[in-house]
Amino acid sequence: MSWFSKKGEINYLLFPKTRKFVPNKFLNSQLCRLEELESKEFKYWISKLGLSWHKHRKLWELAFICQVLHENGMLKEGKKGLGFAVGQERLPSFFASLGCEILATDLPNDSELRELWEASNQYLTSKQILNTFNLCPQDVFNRNVNIRHVNMNNIPKDLAEFDFTWSTCSFEHCGSLE
């Protein structure tokens, strides 16, 4: 079996590589392991995101999100995604390049934590910063990506009707379950 069709489209990817492809059997929540970091599948997603391969948990998270969305048929034209606390990550641009309509969110401008994230170059200061690495043609990016400042502890009710959501390294900043 080939990873790619004759048109270069992804047929499927096995992630982690020890898992045999079984239709309708998807990845489950799991810990980052060296085996996945060294897999062809992991390296595939990292290259698609324009990143250099190295062993790092954050890169694994990005690849894992891509693979789960791919397995569930979300990375294609017309799908709508909502990213929480995206900061300056590459996923909104990459997903838009595949035809997804993306709403990228980050802390409200009046948040006390905004300055901390901005000082470390992790705050979403503008829409254009999400396409800094040119993962998406500019016209497609402009059409498919919007931004909004949202407090994840008080998600507005109008944020609905999305096919998928994602977030990396943000939920631990929302406080306790209470």
Side-chain angles (χ1 to χ4, degrees), residues 3 21 23-24 40 45 54-55 58 61 65 75 78 88 90 95 100 103-104 114 127 137 146 155 162 169:
W3 283 9
F21 178 73
N24 301 316
K40 291 177 186 175
W45 289 118
H54 60 280
K55 298 172 190 172
K58 179 71 173 175
E61 287 180 23
I65 289 168
L75 298 182
Q88 297 183 17
R90 298 166 186 237
F95 296 158
C100 300
L103 178 59
R114 177 182 162 246
K127 175 179 168 176
N146 288 298
I155 299 171
F162 292 93
C169 297

Side-chain angles (χ1 to χ4, degrees), residues 116-172:
L116 173 69
W117 295 111
E118 199 166 22
S120 61
N121 293 320
Q122 296 180 73
Y123 184 69
L124 178 57
T125 55
S126 73
K127 175 179 168 176
Q128 293 309 314
I129 205 154
L130 294 174
N131 203 27
T132 300
F133 299 99
N134 300 310
L135 297 177
C136 185
Q138 196 61 49
D139 62 324
V140 174
F141 176 83
N142 290 339
R143 185 175 58 248
N144 288 349
V145 177
N146 288 298
I147 67 168
R148 182 167 169 185
H149 294 282
V150 173
N151 179 340
M152 288 175 52
N153 286 318
N154 188 18
I155 299 171
K157 293 190 186 310
D158 68 319
L159 288 184
E161 307 299 321
F162 292 93
D163 298 301
F164 63 91
T165 63
W166 83 92
S167 186
T168 63
C169 297
S170 61
F171 290 124
E172 64 268 25

Side-chain angles (χ1 to χ4, degrees), residues 14 19-26:
L14 307 176
R19 188 172 66 88
K20 297 210 182 323
F21 178 73
V22 180
N24 301 316
K25 294 284 184 179
F26 303 116

Side-chain angles (χ1 to χ4, degrees), residues 11-148:
N11 285 333
Y12 67 87
L13 293 174
L14 307 176
F15 186 99
K17 67 181 179 182
T18 57
R19 188 172 66 88
K20 297 210 182 323
F21 178 73
V22 180
N24 301 316
K25 294 284 184 179
F26 303 116
L27 285 178
N28 294 317
S29 178
Q30 59 185 266
L31 297 174
C32 173
R33 296 183 347 211
L34 179 61
E35 185 175 14
E36 283 93 29
L37 290 172
E38 293 178 337
S39 71
K40 291 177 186 175
E41 297 76 24
F42 172 81
K43 292 175 183 177
Y44 170 82
W45 289 118
I46 295 309
S47 71
K48 288 305 226 180
L49 292 170
L51 295 164
S52 298
W53 178 85
H54 60 280
K55 298 172 190 172
H56 196 281
R57 174 203 50 86
K58 179 71 173 175
L59 295 181
W60 177 84
E61 287 180 23
L62 298 174
F64 191 89
I65 289 168
C66 290
Q67 181 62 24
V68 168
L69 292 176
H70 167 70
E71 287 183 355
N72 286 280
M74 295 293 120
L75 298 182
K76 60 185 178 184
E77 188 86 28
K79 293 296 183 179
K80 294 182 181 181
L82 170 62
F84 284 108
V86 300
Q88 297 183 17
E89 71 181 38
R90 298 166 186 237
L91 292 179
S93 179
F94 176 60
F95 296 158
S97 76
L98 300 173
C100 300
E101 296 174 33
I102 300 300
L103 178 59
T105 71
D106 209 347
L107 286 169
N109 287 324
D110 61 356
S111 171
E112 295 173 8
L113 296 173
R114 177 182 162 246
E115 288 183 16
L116 173 69
W117 295 111
E118 199 166 22
S120 61
N121 293 320
Q122 296 180 73
Y123 184 69
L124 178 57
T125 55
S126 73
K127 175 179 168 176
Q128 293 309 314
I129 205 154
L130 294 174
N131 203 27
T132 300
F133 299 99
N134 300 310
L135 297 177
C136 185
Q138 196 61 49
D139 62 324
V140 174
F141 176 83
N142 290 339
R143 185 175 58 248
N144 288 349
V145 177
N146 288 298
I147 67 168
R148 182 167 169 185

